DNA sequence: GGACGGTGAAACTTCAGGTTGCCTC
DNA sequence: GAAGTTTCACCGTCC
């Protein structure tokens, strides 16, 4: 189309004007920005300009606040935006909130989503307009233009097959000069070549070990032959360089005792085989092997957490911010006596990441001491979505650590790892673990029961149904819990008062 | 005269993302 | 590189 789109310039901010224009035409838009903060701000600005709200939106807003037990400032901000049918969307949101926003955008309740690239790929969430505000993004100390591929991903969200005959992808420039540049680079530009990632050492060592332990390739010739047929080799053509890298990785795997070379064949050791099954980076596995060797049954949760946080799999780690530096330094000096890993020197380039791994493990440590999302956001500047992601990864790594410790016959720490895994999954102190066997009981309800002196399942068996219902805040749930511990209750009628409970011995 | 509050400019700080992977007190 | 946040100087008002 060659026609020029006329947009009313009611406000100074062109994004807001575009959003309002979209709404005026009764259409929907996705607005892509380059930071989480911008996404929130952008949504907020647009929603401020809108007055109308309806019950559907108010309900939606309330629902979004219920995603976590104590709403964070991020949740509240989202709630305010949703009241106007506007949302922001990025990785820090709780999965429930993301689902809510996505499904309500599909339904048409939510009209505008300001988002980071989360919504660019993978998800099928088309809109009439895809508005791309930022084409620059910060990547390790530099602002760089995003790849054309990514621009295409974002603009590809425009146009809903079943609703519109066409869509509009709008790339916003900040000046006339930039306009031509953007047009050349993105609109007329060719997407980048795709490059093989196999040459990256963590990837290469993972696949080498995997191929050897599944016996796909075992001899030197087979190995070279296999890799010479990969896209990597096709792309770089330099088989000599390839051989050097492969040999380096083989030596490494051998020195870590994940593979052995006998009778002209590479074979995976028991440990190596399990590491492949666990799908962790052999480097991580080796760190676990070395450090778990030092562990005793006196090991502290923070030590295990720090061990798993100090891996490539956990990246990106929480960053220690400038302001926090001294505080975390002090905090770390309190805990480092328990650590299994060796602390690099302060002048070592690895020190920052080590420090970050400590911050991350401290966050997880707070989680297992029942700190809520609101607290974690204020203290660590981390949203529910990221928290859950880190918990899940840490949990997987802890399982890997468990398996390695098992093979190492470190019986004394196995129990500690299992306990920690459980605590991590539910975000509870050790004392609540017995109660978590119950379905429908998580960290919040378990804590309520514990406070009421119902600390074990046997305590629950003796609990008065009325009291239990009061503690848990639901009669139905109280009955369900009693049923789970083997106490059958009959009610006189379903709508009855709590006093309608009658207990029957079983 | 001093406490307080509002304002705005300058200084400072920070910055996207589930590729997956396990199923266990 | 730029948006967002914090800091700080400045000014007016009130008691």
């Amino acid at each position: 189309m060659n026609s020029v789109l006329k947009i009313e310039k009611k406000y100074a901010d062109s994004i807001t004007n575009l959003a309002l224009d979209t709404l005026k035409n009764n259409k929907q838009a996705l607005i892509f920005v380059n930071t989480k903060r911008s996404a929130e701000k952008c949504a907020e600005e647009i929603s401020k300009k809108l007055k109308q709200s309806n019950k559907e939106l108010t309900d939606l807003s309330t629902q979004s606040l219920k995603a976590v037990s104590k709403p964070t400032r991020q949740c509240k901000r989202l709630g305010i935006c949703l009241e106007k049918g506007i949302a922001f969307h990025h990785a820090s949101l709780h999965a429930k909130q993301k689902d809510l926003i996505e499904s309500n955008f599909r339904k048409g309740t939510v009209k505008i989503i300001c988002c980071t690239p989360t919504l660019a790929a993978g998800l099928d969430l088309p809109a009439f307009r895809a508005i791309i505000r930022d084409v620059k993004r910060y990547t390790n100390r530099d602002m760089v233009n995003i790849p054309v591929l990514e621009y295409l991903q974002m603009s590809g969200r425009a146009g809903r097959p079943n609703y519109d005959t066409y869509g509009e992808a709008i790339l916003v420039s900040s000046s006339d000069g930039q306009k031509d540049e953007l047009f050349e680079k993105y609109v007329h530009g060719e997407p980048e070549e795709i490059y093989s990632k196999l040459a990256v050492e963590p990837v290469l060592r993972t696949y080498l070990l995997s191929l050897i332990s599944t016996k796909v390739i075992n001899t030197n010739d087979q190995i070279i032959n296999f890799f010479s047929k990969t896209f990597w080799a096709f792309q770089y053509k330099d088989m000599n360089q390839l051989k050097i890298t492969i040999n380096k990785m083989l030596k490494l795997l051998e020195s870590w005792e994940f593979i052995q070379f006998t009778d002209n064949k590479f074979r995976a050791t028991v440990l190596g085989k399990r590491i492949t099954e666990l799908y962790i980076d052999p480097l991580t596995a080796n760190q676990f092997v070395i450090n778990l060797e030092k562990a005793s049954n006196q090991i502290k949760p923070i030590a295990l957490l720090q061990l798993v946080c100090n891996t490539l799999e956990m990246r990106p780690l929480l960053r220690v911010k400038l302001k926090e530096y001294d505080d975390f330094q002090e905090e770390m000096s309190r805990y480092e006596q328990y650590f299994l890993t060796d602390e690099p020197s302060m002048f070592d380039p690895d020190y920052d990441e080590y420090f970050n791994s400590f911050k991350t493990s401290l966050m997880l440590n707070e989680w297992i001491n029942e700190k809520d999302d609101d607290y974690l956001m204020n203290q660590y500047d981390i949203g529910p979505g990221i928290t859950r992601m880190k918990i899940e990864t840490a949990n997987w790594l802890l399982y890997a650590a468990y398996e390695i410790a098992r093979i190492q016959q470190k019986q004394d720490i196995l129990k500690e790892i299992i306990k920690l895994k459980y605590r991590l999954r539910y975000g509870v102190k050790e004392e609540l673990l017995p109660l978590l066997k119950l379905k429908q009981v998580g960290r919040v309800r378990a804590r309520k029961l514990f406070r009421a002196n119902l600390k074990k399942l046997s305590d629950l068996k003796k609990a008065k149904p009325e009291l239990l219902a009061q503690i848990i805040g639901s009669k139905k749930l109280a009955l369900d819990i009693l049923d789970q511990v083997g106490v059958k209750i009959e009610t006189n009628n379903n709508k009855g008062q709590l006093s309608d409970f009658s207990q029957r011995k079983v």
Side-chain angles (χ1 to χ4, degrees):
Chain A
M1 278 199 310
N2 288 318
S3 59
V4 175
L5 199 65
K6 283 253 185 334
I7 306 286
E8 191 190 353
K9 289 181 182 167
K10 197 172 173 190
Y11 298 98
D13 175 37
S14 56
I15 297 294
T16 306
N17 292 329
L18 272 170
L20 295 180
D21 182 79
T22 310
L23 293 175
K24 202 173 75 188
N25 292 307
N26 208 19
K27 300 281 189 188
Q28 289 171 291
L30 292 172
I31 302 177
F32 292 97
V33 297
N34 64 1
T35 65
K36 292 182 258 201
R37 207 159 54 172
S38 292
E40 295 185 18
K41 182 81 181 167
C42 184
E44 194 177 60
E45 284 305 311
I46 297 165
S47 64
K48 270 188 200 163
K49 306 291 189 293
L50 302 171
K51 290 205 174 66
Q52 82 281 19
S53 183
N54 55 45
K55 188 174 177 302
E56 199 178 4
L57 289 173
T58 313
D59 287 350
L60 180 62
S61 167
T62 326
Q63 251 181 299
S64 79
L65 286 175
K66 283 186 191 153
V68 297
S69 60
K70 190 177 175 205
T72 64
R73 57 171 192 272
Q74 176 185 277
C75 301
K76 289 176 192 160
R77 206 175 182 190
L78 177 65
I80 292 169
C81 292
L82 282 175
E83 292 241 1
K84 307 286 179 64
I86 312 295
F88 53 82
H89 191 291
H90 52 62
S92 284
L93 293 186
H94 194 284
K96 284 182 199 164
Q97 294 168 326
K98 286 193 250 183
D99 285 348
L100 207 60
I101 293 167
E102 289 156 24
S103 62
N104 278 281
F105 188 79
R106 285 201 184 91
K107 272 200 282 179
T109 321
V110 171
K111 301 288 182 195
I112 310 262
I113 304 179
C114 303
C115 57
T116 55
T118 28
L119 290 186
L123 224 75
D124 181 33
L125 206 75
F128 174 68
R129 271 184 188 157
I131 301 168
I132 299 145
R133 194 191 75 174
D134 301 321
V135 286
K136 281 195 182 302
R137 183 155 53 229
Y138 180 87
T139 33
N140 47 53
R141 300 197 188 83
D142 237 345
M143 268 329 246
V144 294
N145 281 317
I146 58 165
V148 177
L149 273 171
E150 244 188 270
Y151 161 77
L152 290 172
Q153 281 286 9
M154 295 191 280
S155 55
R157 300 298 112 196
R160 300 170 303 168
N162 296 325
Y163 300 91
D164 299 304
T165 48
Y166 71 102
E168 296 174 356
I170 303 174
L171 183 55
V172 180
S173 78
S174 49
S175 65
D176 274 355
Q178 200 200 11
K179 195 165 83 182
D180 298 335
E181 191 190 314
L182 290 182
F183 219 85
E184 243 357 88
K185 179 164 170 61
Y186 291 107
V187 183
H188 289 151
E190 283 289 315
E192 293 79 4
E193 295 277 321
I194 291 170
Y195 289 98
S196 165
K197 287 216 166 69
L198 195 57
V200 184
E201 292 192 4
V203 177
L204 185 60
R205 62 193 174 221
T206 302
Y207 284 104
L208 254 180
L209 179 59
S210 155
L211 289 164
I212 291 169
S213 67
T214 51
K215 299 182 181 151
V216 173
I217 47 177
N218 289 101
T219 65
N220 259 313
D221 285 351
Q222 284 175 337
I223 290 171
I224 300 302
N225 190 33
F226 182 92
F227 281 97
S228 69
K229 289 180 188 157
T230 60
F231 180 50
W232 175 39
F234 166 79
Q235 205 159 37
Y236 294 103
K237 298 189 173 66
D238 184 357
M239 274 312 285
N240 274 332
Q241 187 52 47
L242 212 145
K243 279 181 198 168
I244 293 170
T245 320
I246 289 173
N247 276 327
K248 188 179 155 195
M249 289 303 114
L250 286 171
K251 288 246 151 43
L252 213 55
L253 291 173
E254 213 179 342
S255 73
W256 291 338
E257 296 176 21
F258 298 156
I259 56 171
Q260 283 169 340
F261 189 67
T262 46
D263 308 328
N264 271 327
K265 274 186 174 179
F266 287 103
R267 288 186 180 85
T269 60
V270 172
L271 193 57
K273 221 171 166 169
R274 191 70 187 118
I275 284 156
T276 279
E277 288 163 1
L278 294 165
Y279 207 77
I280 60 171
D281 183 345
L283 178 77
T284 298
N286 184 243
Q287 286 171 8
F288 285 1
V289 168
I290 292 168
N291 291 306
L292 287 171
E293 199 55 57
K294 307 176 205 165
S296 74
N297 60 354
Q298 298 297 307
I299 192 163
K300 295 258 190 286
I302 188 79
L304 286 167
L305 291 173
Q306 198 276 332
L307 177 71
V308 297
C309 286
N310 195 30
T311 60
L312 292 178
E313 284 87 342
M314 279 297 284
R315 291 187 185 184
L317 297 167
L318 304 198
R319 269 194 50 215
V320 178
K321 295 176 184 174
L322 221 61
K323 272 201 302 206
E324 308 169 331
Y325 214 86
D326 291 344
D327 288 346
F328 277 113
Q329 197 72 253
E330 203 185 312
E331 199 78 358
M332 189 156 89
S333 65
R334 208 171 306 158
Y335 285 105
E336 59 196 356
Q337 53 178 313
Y338 305 119
F339 291 174
L340 299 170
T341 57
D342 293 324
E343 184 182 329
S345 133
M346 282 193 72
F347 310 102
D348 195 310
D350 292 340
Y351 185 79
D352 276 350
E353 274 306 85
Y354 190 82
F355 203 24
N356 291 338
S357 80
F358 168 66
K359 181 179 175 181
T360 312
S361 59
L362 200 61
M363 183 277 290
L364 293 174
N365 199 53
E366 302 250 36
W367 167 255
I368 62 170
N369 282 295
E370 299 176 35
K371 293 293 194 302
D372 58 38
D373 285 292
D374 185 42
Y375 173 89
L376 295 177
M377 172 155 279
N378 292 329
Q379 206 70 18
Y380 295 88
D381 201 21
I382 185 175
I386 308 274
T387 315
R388 300 306 184 284
M389 218 153 73
K390 295 296 166 205
I391 290 167
E392 203 184 316
T393 310
N395 219 26
W396 157 51
L397 289 170
L398 276 174
Y399 176 71
Y402 175 90
E403 286 296 298
I404 288 171
R406 192 175 56 78
I407 293 169
Q408 282 180 303
Q409 310 214 316
K410 297 280 295 178
Q411 305 298 341
D412 45 347
I413 58 168
L414 294 182
K415 218 177 155 195
E416 297 304 313
I417 300 179
I418 292 291
K419 209 161 43 187
L420 179 58
K421 269 176 63 61
Y422 237 75
R423 290 185 59 192
L424 197 59
R425 191 158 130 200
Y426 290 101
V428 293
K429 293 181 185 169
E430 196 176 336
E431 62 196 23
L432 292 191
L433 290 182
L435 293 170
L436 291 166
K437 282 181 186 157
L438 297 165
K439 285 179 191 137
Q440 305 288 315
V441 175
R443 66 189 325 215
V444 177
R445 285 168 181 163
R447 180 45 66 190
K448 281 183 184 167
L449 292 171
F450 193 90
R451 271 205 208 105
N453 230 9
L454 300 167
K455 302 182 179 179
K456 297 190 299 282
L457 297 189
S458 54
D459 296 337
L460 283 167
K461 278 186 189 177
K462 289 175 262 170
K464 287 229 167 21
E466 299 85 356
L467 184 68
L468 189 59
Q470 210 182 347
I471 295 162
I472 226 90
S474 154
K475 183 179 153 187
K476 194 168 168 289
L477 199 61
L479 288 173
D480 186 47
I481 289 172
L482 286 170
D483 184 54
Q484 287 185 58
V485 294
V487 180
K488 295 277 178 253
I489 304 286
E490 279 184 350
T491 51
N492 293 343
N493 64 66
N494 285 336
K495 286 178 185 170
Q497 300 300 304
L498 293 179
S499 57
D500 290 343
F501 281 122
S502 62
Q503 193 160 349
R504 191 177 66 183
K505 293 256 188 291
V506 282

